[in-house]
Amino acid sequence: MQRIEQHASFGGRQEVWKHASASLQCDMKFAVYLPPAALRGEACPVLYWLSGLTCTEQNFITKAGAQAHAARHGFIVVAPDTSPRGSAVPDDPAYDLGQGAGFYLDALQAPWATHFRMESYVVHELPALVQQHFPASDARGVFGHSMGGHGALTLALRHPGRYLSVSAFSPIVAPSQLPWGRKAFAAYLGDVGAAWAAHDAVELVRGPLSQRLHLLVDQGEADEFIDTQLQPERLREACAARGHPLTLRMHGGHDHSYYFIASFIADHFEHHAQALSGRA
Amino acid sequence: MQRIEQHASFGGRQEVWKHASASLQCDMKFAVYLPPAALRGEACPVLYWLSGLTCTEQNFITKAGAQAHAARHGFIVVAPDTSPRGSAVPDDPAYDLGQGAGFYLDALQAPWATHFRMESYVVHELPALVQQHFPASDARGVFGHSMGGHGALTLALRHPGRYLSVSAFSPIVAPSQLPWGRKAFAAYLGDVGAAWAAHDAVELVRGPLSQRLHLLVDQGEADEFIDTQLQPERLREACAARGHPLTLRMHGGHDHSYYFIASFIADHFEHHAQALSGRA
């Protein structure tokens, strides 16, 4: 592990680290915000932020305005890159497949299966690294945007007990049904219906779950992808049908950008704080 | 004037506009944040943000986290580009001269004098446009970062009464004395000592002023340019010698980045609010 950036920020420190990932078999970067409490050596809950298509570890830490809230709540915030990276890693010229489009799952078929194992990376390898190198408690939450909102919802639903809280901005809730998800799932998972359903938040909510974690979802009504790629009403219907706790907030005028995320990120920290604070 | 971006943000709207500038004789972009009060048609004070070397109108609006504070205070915030732009505009391969490096002055010599008139643009043309197109009151403040901190300080000192408040992050306070400023002044102003002093905050403070506006300056102690380009103690000494009101805050661990700006931008809004609020 090598620290490649550090910046004082709201009494804490925004850092970026580089390391050789065993799950992804490539060098990876991730961002970590250490709040003042962590710099004092106190064990802090960890929030994992998962970014959307084309993003790296940089987008969230430069644009979301999260550090002020992380500092106040005493949360470590970890933001990984969105896929394996590098010239040895398969890629696709499209922005929505290959590098920058890992979809937070472990790919099942060639040429993707060797490196594209973002679920293993985010759920297991990265938290182990974080526990080892930073004053992290066992309390974990996960949130994300768009493809990363899909990641947050599916990882929390697939790994009961691993995350105490989950939320999403403008998530892809039904990747099996809509173009971004269908393209990625066909490439990474192949023609396997059961594998698709296992990585689809709507399908997961419909199925049997040992735990029904409260989902907070914020969605802009002027989001340019709402009709073609997101369709949050699918999640609303599935949650209503199964009695799964969901707070879905629709925001007039808001688009798919980080301006939307920044406007409501304080509420997401409050949501996670209800589950994570005092759990250090 | 053509609106090329708009995003809902903290109950207001972040917009970017493009227009043909008469002062600069090229197309220019500027960003404007309209707080909720402006969307309701109330006349709002206007804060002008001036960015640093290499920046465009984008850096501040994506990275500083200013919108939350502008929304709360009811301030319109205008962020222009840092120089004239385009293939018809002279440039230099270096990052610190030509496009992206306008230094907020009107150039006196070829090839720069035709287009590089950022002082006229920021002080006169842009405010006239803003008054015409948005619900702006006459109350104006100016702030900025690095080269833009130099801009904020010198424009406020050179135009008494035009700005009711001024502040700066990591400003170039003595451009006549240090490399970035000397290179730019030699190119834009030529070999004219008086012209250099007229655009140097330390020299302006030392001279006769009809008004001594309180200067708020924040400076990171881990700023990678503090010794070579900034030397804030020169401003402290000049202000002390002339009794010019200055609050210079040194921040341990902070660097030259937008992480520094974001950490203290709330205080700058408070500073400007003391002069601007209730002046709508």
Side-chain angles (χ1 to χ4, degrees):
Chain A
M1 288 253 293
Q2 182 194 354
R3 184 166 56 194
I4 57 176
E5 277 188 49
Q6 65 170 323
H7 311 277
S9 171
F10 288 95
R13 209 156 59 220
Q14 181 63 60
E15 303 186 340
V16 178
W17 290 75
K18 186 175 178 178
H19 71 112
S21 164
S23 337
L24 306 177
Q25 300 194 34
C26 66
D27 282 348
M28 288 293 286
K29 294 178 191 169
F30 68 89
V32 57
Y33 179 74
L34 301 171
L39 298 189
R40 293 192 301 266
E42 299 169 22
C44 297
V46 186
L47 263 179
Y48 288 84
W49 171 267
L50 306 180
S51 281
L53 288 166
T54 77
C55 289
T56 69
E57 84 290 345
Q58 289 290 324
N59 302 65
F60 180 72
I61 64 173
T62 55
K63 296 184 171 182
Q67 291 88 354
H69 309 294
R72 192 173 67 247
H73 287 288
F75 292 165
I76 292 172
V77 183
V78 175
D81 201 346
T82 55
S83 77
R85 298 282 184 181
S87 55
V89 172
D91 199 6
D92 185 282
Y95 75 98
D96 54 1
L97 191 66
Q99 295 188 33
F103 269 83
Y104 304 104
L105 50 75
D106 289 358
L108 300 177
Q109 62 176 20
W112 310 106
T114 307
H115 296 280
F116 281 71
R117 300 176 54 78
M118 285 298 288
E119 181 170 19
S120 292
Y121 178 68
V122 168
V123 177
H124 301 294
E125 183 178 358
L126 191 54
L129 274 176
V130 167
Q131 303 281 132
Q132 188 183 338
H133 290 274
F134 307 104
S137 78
D138 286 333
R140 245 176 253 109
V142 62
F143 60 161
H145 174 235
S146 195
M147 175 182 75
H150 145 78
L153 295 174
T154 56
L155 296 187
L157 293 168
R158 283 169 58 75
H159 300 276
R162 189 114 188 116
Y163 303 99
L164 300 178
S165 55
V166 57
S167 69
F169 292 89
S170 333
I172 302 173
V173 299
S176 312
Q177 306 299 325
L178 295 166
W180 278 339
R182 292 181 64 84
K183 178 178 177 179
F185 282 12
Y188 300 144
L189 302 176
D191 203 14
V192 185
W196 286 36
H199 292 282
D200 181 303
V202 163
E203 295 298 329
L204 287 164
V205 161
R206 281 188 185 135
L209 290 173
S210 62
Q211 183 194 30
R212 292 205 171 265
L213 209 53
H214 181 191
L215 313 178
L216 168 63
V217 174
D218 276 322
Q219 173 65 55
E221 291 179 345
D223 189 318
E224 50 274 42
F225 301 111
I226 190 170
D227 292 331
T228 51
Q229 305 283 1
L230 307 178
Q231 300 188 2
E233 64 278 9
R234 290 175 180 267
L235 185 64
R236 193 201 303 275
E237 287 155 16
C239 286
R242 287 302 293 242
H244 194 109
L246 167 71
T247 301
L248 171 59
R249 310 192 304 181
M250 302 299 292
H251 300 277
H254 277 279
D255 60 22
H256 201 67
S257 71
Y258 269 85
Y259 294 106
F260 172 51
I261 297 170
S263 294
F264 298 100
I265 193 92
D267 296 347
H268 285 241
F269 274 89
E270 291 295 338
H271 169 78
H272 289 275
Q274 287 175 25
L276 301 180
S277 290
R279 298 293 295 267
Chain B
M1 287 255 293
Q2 184 196 352
R3 185 167 53 196
I4 55 176
E5 277 189 49
Q6 63 169 325
H7 310 277
S9 170
F10 289 94
R13 209 156 59 221
Q14 181 63 60
E15 302 185 341
V16 177
W17 290 75
K18 187 175 178 178
H19 71 111
S21 165
S23 336
L24 306 178
Q25 300 195 34
C26 66
D27 282 348
M28 288 293 285
K29 293 178 190 168
F30 68 89
V32 57
Y33 179 73
L34 301 171
L39 298 189
R40 294 191 300 266
E42 298 169 22
C44 297
V46 186
L47 263 181
Y48 289 85
W49 171 267
L50 306 180
S51 282
L53 288 167
T54 78
C55 289
T56 69
E57 83 290 346
Q58 289 290 324
N59 303 63
F60 180 72
I61 63 174
T62 54
K63 295 183 171 181
Q67 291 90 353
H69 308 293
R72 192 173 69 246
H73 287 289
F75 292 165
I76 292 172
V77 183
V78 175
D81 202 346
T82 54
S83 77
R85 296 282 184 181
S87 56
V89 171
D91 200 4
D92 186 281
Y95 75 97
D96 55 0
L97 192 66
Q99 296 188 33
F103 269 83
Y104 305 101
L105 50 77
D106 289 359
L108 299 177
Q109 62 176 21
W112 311 105
T114 306
H115 296 279
F116 280 72
R117 300 175 55 78
M118 285 298 288
E119 180 170 19
S120 292
Y121 178 69
V122 168
V123 177
H124 301 295
E125 183 179 358
L126 190 54
L129 274 177
V130 167
Q131 303 280 132
Q132 189 184 337
H133 290 274
F134 307 104
S137 77
D138 287 333
R140 243 177 254 110
V142 62
F143 60 162
H145 174 235
S146 195
M147 176 184 75
H150 145 77
L153 296 174
T154 56
L155 296 187
L157 293 168
R158 283 170 57 76
H159 300 276
R162 190 111 190 120
Y163 302 99
L164 300 178
S165 55
V166 59
S167 69
F169 292 87
S170 333
I172 302 172
V173 298
S176 313
Q177 305 299 325
L178 296 165
W180 278 338
R182 293 181 63 83
K183 177 178 178 180
F185 282 12
Y188 300 145
L189 301 175
D191 203 13
V192 185
W196 286 35
H199 292 281
D200 180 303
V202 162
E203 294 300 330
L204 286 164
V205 161
R206 281 189 184 136
L209 290 172
S210 62
Q211 184 193 27
R212 292 205 171 264
L213 209 54
H214 182 190
L215 314 178
L216 168 64
V217 174
D218 276 323
Q219 174 64 55
E221 291 179 346
D223 188 318
E224 50 274 43
F225 302 111
I226 191 169
D227 292 331
T228 51
Q229 305 284 2
L230 306 177
Q231 300 187 1
E233 65 278 9
R234 290 175 179 266
L235 184 65
R236 193 202 302 274
E237 286 157 16
C239 285
R242 287 302 294 241
H244 194 110
L246 167 72
T247 302
L248 171 60
R249 308 191 305 180
M250 303 299 293
H251 300 278
H254 277 279
D255 59 23
H256 200 66
S257 72
Y258 268 84
Y259 294 104
F260 173 50
I261 297 170
S263 294
F264 298 100
I265 193 92
D267 296 346
H268 285 240
F269 274 89
E270 292 294 339
H271 169 79
H272 289 275
Q274 287 175 23
L276 300 179
S277 290
R279 298 295 295 267

